Structure formats: C-alpha cells, structure tokens
C-alpha cells in the first residue's frame, strides 16, 4: 500500500503515524473548504431578524439636540395637519373638491412623517438603533404608500385647479362628489400597489452581506445595497415603477399648469389674472417644495457618495415638507384663514 510518513507523533503510542496519501490530502482539503465556506457563506434571509439603522449622527453630544428637533417638527406637523382637517370638516364653506383633496393630503403627510420620526426619537432615547426585519418591511411599505399618495394627490389637485380656471361653468359637473371619492380610492389602490411591489422586490433578496442601513429609516434603495446577489433585475423593476409613478404625476401637473397659465394670460384685466393665480398659489408652492426636495435628494445620492449627506438631504423630503404644508395653506389661503377665525370665535 502506498503510504506516507506524517511528521507528527501519534498521541496514543508516541510513534510516528503512517497514513495513506490520498485520504490525508482529501480530508484536510475538505476540512479547510468547510471552514472557509463557514466564514464566507452569506447569511440566509431566514436567519436575518434585524437591521441596524445608522441614523443622522454618531456624535453623542448631538443626540439631545436631534431628539428635541425631531420631536418639535413631528408635533408641529401632526397638530398643523390635524388643524387643517378639523377646519375643513367643520366649515360647510370648505366642503368643495379642492379642500376635500387637501384634507386627504394632510392625512398622507401625517402618515408620511409618523412612519419615520417616532422611530428616530425612540432610537435616540433608548440608544438602540436596531429595527426588526418585519418592522423594516412595514416601515418601508407605509412610507412608500404615503409618499405615493402625496405625489398623486398633488396631481389631482392640479387637475382640480385646471378645471376650476379653464372650465368654470362645468366645474361642479366634472368634479362632483362621486368623481372625487372615486379618485381618492383609485389613488389609494395605486399607492398600495407601488408599496407592495417594493416590498416584493426586497423579499426577493436571498442573502445580505451586512446589517447596517445607511439611513435613519428603511429606505428600499439602501436595503438593496446590502444584498449579496446581483440586484440588477430588482433595481430595474424598482426604478421602472418609480419612473411611472414619478413621470405621470409630474407630467399631469405640468400639463395642468400649462393650460392654467395659457388661460390666465388671455384674461384682459390684471385683477382677474391675479385672482386666478391666487387660487392655485398655495398648491403651486407645495408642488415646488415636494418635488424640489425630492429632486434634491436624488441629485445628492447621484453626486455625493457620502451616506450622511444623502441622509441629511432626505430629512428635507420626509420631515420638512410635511411640516411646511400646513403653514403654506394657512398663510396663503384666505378661505382657510377665514374658516380658522370662525372656528376660534366659536370655541371662544
């Protein structure tokens, strides 16, 4: 038998061990391979139970300031939007399509900020940035749903202003109660579809190479960056749906305001033009704020490779925009201000 003396002592007899060459090499190579694969094998999705949110800053001295800042913005946003909903529902003069969509926009803003900010505050207070896998999927789904509702409600509101200015005689026929309720219901299901598509894309990821999400909430693009496998198809599907849900609302808004501007410019008196523009000034300001900050976040992620800069830019889109919407509509809209004064006089 072809054998080879191995240069170590037999622990039992104190003699040199003799073993066949092929089994020795095979067994040692197999052992090395198993050890190497145990360290390099990616963790399966079934074993992933939680992620780690990196947050906005690691500076411990900055955490109390961030906590107070986010708590203040959250309270202002929720109370401001709830006040708008209360004013619209309590005043019969505001029971019109425009303010019906505005109240739904306020609900979407409350949902959008409530998805992310409370978790940030809890993480700072408990010094624990861990989020479970199921909670991450839920947060991601609700966030996308709320953002999509925001975007498409702004489009429907632009169409409402187009009908009111360009076809005033047919306004109540076109924008009747049935049409308004059906529109919101359709937007609800479209937003739900978009959120579930993103959820399914993330669920297709079979393994992760890390558990740290470079954000203060579960952003689907950041979660996909942790995937071990090739995510090209998933990214194509995600950006395809993102393009559809982004391109059509923006196109609808641009078309509506193109028609509005063309119609207003044909008004002979300057007073008439000012009155027509004032009816859609608040909506136009909210549109510019919403899509301007969204575009800023996209450009920041494309230009800068720093996760912190991308996270800081996302605060404008996810927190600041919902907070400023009530101020824009209450300060620029005479109907809201008048209804608010009437509500306060009744309460007093």
């Amino acid at each position: 038998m072809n054998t080879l003396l191995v240069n170590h002592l037999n622990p039992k007899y104190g003699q040199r061990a003799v073993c066949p060459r092929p089994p020795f090499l095979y067994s040692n190579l197999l052992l090395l391979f198993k050890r190497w694969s145990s360290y390099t094998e990616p963790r399966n999705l079934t074993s992933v139970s939680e992620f780690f949110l990196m947050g906005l800053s690691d500076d411990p001295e900055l955490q109390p300031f961030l906590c107070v800042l986010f708590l203040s913005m959250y309270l202002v946003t929720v109370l401001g939007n709830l006040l708008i909903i209360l004013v619209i529902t309590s005043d019969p003069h505001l029971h019109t399509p425009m303010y019906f969509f505005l109240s739904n926009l306020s609900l979407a803003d409350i949902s959008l900020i409530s998805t992310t900010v409370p978790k940030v505050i809890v993480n700072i207070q408990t010094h624990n940035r861990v989020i479970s896998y199921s909670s991450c999927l839920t947060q991601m789904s609700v966030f996308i749903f709320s953002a999509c509702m925001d975007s498409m409600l702004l489009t429907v509101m632009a169409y409402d202003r187009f009908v009111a200015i360009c076809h005033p005689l047919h306004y109540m026929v076109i924008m009747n109660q049935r049409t308004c309720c059906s529109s919101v219901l359709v937007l609800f299901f479209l937003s739900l579809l978009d959120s579930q598509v993103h959820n399914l894309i993330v669920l297709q990821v079979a393994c992760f190479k890390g558990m740290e999400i470079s954000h203060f909430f579960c952003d689907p693009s950041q979660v996909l960056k942790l995937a071990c496998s090739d995510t090209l198809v998933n990214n194509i599907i995600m950006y395809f749906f993102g393009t559809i849900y982004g391109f059509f609302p923006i196109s609808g808004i641009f078309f509506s305001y193109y028609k509005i501007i063309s119609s207003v410019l044909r008004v002979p008196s300057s007073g008439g033009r000012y009155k027509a523009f004032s009816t859609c000034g608040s909506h136009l300001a909210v549109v510019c704020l919403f899509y301007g900050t969204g575009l800023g976040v996209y450009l920041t992620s494309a230009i800068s490779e720093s996760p912190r800069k991308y996270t800081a830019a996302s605060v404008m889109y996810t927190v600041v925009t919902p907070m400023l919407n009530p101020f824009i509509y209450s300060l620029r809209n005479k109907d809201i201000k008048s209804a608010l004064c009437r509500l306060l006089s009744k309460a007093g």
Side-chain angles (χ1 to χ4, degrees), residues 195-216:
S195 66
Q196 294 310 303
V197 166
H198 281 78
N199 252 10
L200 289 173
I201 289 173
V202 174
L203 285 171
Q204 294 302 312
V205 178
C207 58
F208 295 98
K209 59 187 176 185
M211 312 311 296
E212 295 183 350
I213 300 176
S214 301
H215 218 303
F216 63 91

Side-chain angles (χ1 to χ4, degrees), residues 31-192:
L31 179 62
L32 286 173
F33 175 76
K34 286 182 177 180
R35 287 181 178 178
W36 176 82
S37 62
S38 66
Y39 286 108
T40 59
E41 185 181 23
R43 297 179 64 185
N44 201 311
L45 186 63
T46 55
S47 65
V48 173
S49 59
E50 57 190 26
F51 290 105
F52 183 83
L53 299 172
M54 297 297 290
L56 291 167
S57 174
D58 294 326
D59 188 358
E61 296 181 356
L62 197 60
Q63 301 306 310
F65 170 74
L66 290 175
C67 182
V68 173
L69 178 64
F70 273 86
L71 180 61
S72 303
M73 290 191 294
Y74 179 70
L75 292 176
V76 169
T77 304
V78 173
L79 294 176
N81 282 288
L82 284 177
L83 183 60
I84 285 183
I85 295 171
L86 178 63
V87 169
I88 291 173
T89 53
S90 62
D91 197 318
H93 297 90
L94 300 181
H95 293 176
T96 62
M98 175 184 174
Y99 295 108
F100 171 74
F101 293 128
L102 177 58
S103 61
N104 282 277
L105 181 67
S106 294
L107 282 174
D109 284 336
I110 293 173
S111 175
L112 182 65
I113 196 170
S114 297
T115 307
T116 56
V117 173
K119 180 61 178 174
V120 174
I121 298 172
V122 170
N123 290 349
I124 294 174
Q125 285 296 310
T126 59
H127 305 287
N128 183 11
R129 298 179 180 178
V130 173
I131 183 171
S132 65
Y133 179 75
S134 58
S135 298
C136 183
L137 288 179
T138 303
Q139 185 186 61
M140 182 175 60
S141 179
V142 177
F143 174 80
I144 295 172
F145 170 81
S146 304
C148 193
M149 277 293 291
D150 252 12
S151 175
M152 291 193 290
L153 278 169
L154 290 174
T155 307
V156 175
M157 291 172 73
Y159 177 75
D160 172 77
R161 292 298 83 204
F162 158 69
V163 176
I165 294 174
C166 300
H167 305 283
L169 299 178
H170 303 284
Y171 178 71
M172 295 309 299
V173 177
I174 298 174
M175 302 301 295
N176 55 62
Q177 185 177 3
R178 182 179 178 181
T179 301
C180 294
C181 294
S182 300
S183 299
V184 172
L185 193 62
V186 169
L187 298 185
F188 177 87
F189 283 111
L190 288 175
S191 301
L192 188 63

Side-chain angles (χ1 to χ4, degrees), residues 290-310:
F290 182 83
Y291 285 105
T293 53
L295 183 62
V297 170
Y298 176 78
L299 292 177
T300 302
S301 63
I303 297 172
S304 175
E305 296 183 358
S306 172
R308 295 293 186 189
K309 291 182 179 179
Y310 173 73

